[in-house]
Amino acid sequence: MSSGRRRSAFVLLLLAVVINLPLAHSTWTDAKVERSGEDVSATVVEHGDSDWLSFRFPADVDPDQRTWSVEVDDPTYDEAVATGRLEVRVLDADPSAYRVDGAVESRVPLVVTAVADVLLLLLVLLMWRFGGRLRSSLRAVALGDVERCKPEILLERLHAEDYLVRGEVLEVGPDRVVLDLGNRTIEVLLDGHQNPVGHQQAAQVRARMIG
């Protein structure tokens, strides 16, 4: 795999982690609350005409006495308003991790994550299908033999349309070589010159740009 493809794979992997991490963390937290949480009776401190309730945990659960909010179904709302209490399962060491029976679960995070995953999958398929063609491509004619060099990406103008090109070899042919320049590729026509450098090795060549 070329350095450009490795970078692309790393970026795609990072995007996948960023997209799925919030939902994965929420699912893991819910499972932890279910497994290790304790049931407490919280105090309802505010409610309105909608099904949103604001509540506080007992001081031994949340010494800071922060106010938390949750949207619940109609029966749960009516009971909480009538009694001033709300049954909540919460982690003892983390009051922000809780679950309310009768809470209305929003499907928005799941839908957003699923749509983002589909778009990312389409991007992966496009990159796999078209490969380097998704990047801009240059064309040049060699002015000398292709040589080995240290791993480096370089496109340095020498004079006029003559350049010194360095990059990783992506393709090798009897009369051409394609180098990876990171965000683009360059096809160098050998024009009778030699190329002793193999696939996925660093190479350099002086070449005249033709497109």
Side-chain angles (χ1 to χ4, degrees):
M1 181 182 290
S2 70
S3 59
R5 289 180 180 272
R6 284 194 294 269
R7 286 193 295 270
S8 297
F10 175 77
V11 170
L12 291 173
L13 178 61
L14 183 61
L15 282 174
V17 171
V18 170
I19 289 171
N20 290 278
L21 184 59
L23 184 60
H25 180 266
S26 175
T27 302
W28 177 80
T29 300
D30 289 345
K32 191 175 181 181
V33 170
E34 177 66 25
R35 181 178 65 254
S36 306
E38 61 174 312
D39 294 320
V40 301
S41 181
T43 301
V44 176
V45 296
E46 186 177 349
H47 61 82
D49 295 332
S50 65
D51 290 334
W52 282 90
L53 298 170
S54 297
F55 63 93
R56 291 196 185 103
F57 291 112
D60 59 339
V61 174
D62 183 12
D64 295 334
Q65 288 295 277
R66 289 164 289 181
T67 299
W68 308 91
S69 297
V70 64
E71 184 182 10
V72 296
D73 56 29
D74 290 340
T76 302
Y77 179 85
D78 292 341
E79 182 178 353
V81 171
T83 63
R85 313 298 296 178
L86 184 65
E87 299 305 313
V88 185
R89 188 170 181 83
V90 61
L91 287 179
D92 181 51
D94 184 7
S96 66
Y98 62 84
R99 190 197 69 199
V100 177
D101 287 335
V104 176
E105 301 292 341
S106 173
R107 298 183 64 85
V108 172
L110 179 60
V111 172
V112 170
T113 301
V115 170
D117 281 336
V118 169
L119 293 177
L120 183 60
L121 178 59
L122 290 175
L123 179 59
V124 171
L125 292 175
L126 283 173
M127 293 183 66
W128 176 80
R129 174 65 178 83
F130 295 103
R133 283 176 289 177
L134 288 176
R135 297 180 291 174
S136 60
S137 180
L138 303 173
R139 297 185 79 236
V141 176
L143 299 175
D145 292 342
V146 180
E147 303 172 341
R148 300 182 187 276
C149 67
K150 64 180 180 180
E152 183 182 19
I153 292 176
L154 179 69
L155 184 64
E156 179 182 355
R157 184 192 293 270
L158 300 175
H159 59 83
E161 295 301 316
D162 296 352
Y163 287 78
L164 175 62
V165 184
R166 288 178 183 160
E168 184 177 305
V169 176
L170 291 179
E171 300 178 25
V172 177
D175 58 355
R176 61 191 285 273
V177 61
V178 178
L179 302 182
D180 182 7
L181 299 183
N183 62 345
R184 63 184 121 178
T185 62
I186 182 168
E187 179 187 28
V188 180
L189 305 178
L190 296 177
D191 194 30
H193 297 289
Q194 300 300 310
N195 172 35
V197 185
H199 184 243
Q200 294 186 345
Q201 295 180 355
Q204 70 175 19
V205 62
R206 290 185 301 108
R208 180 161 297 158
M209 205 68 63
I210 59 173

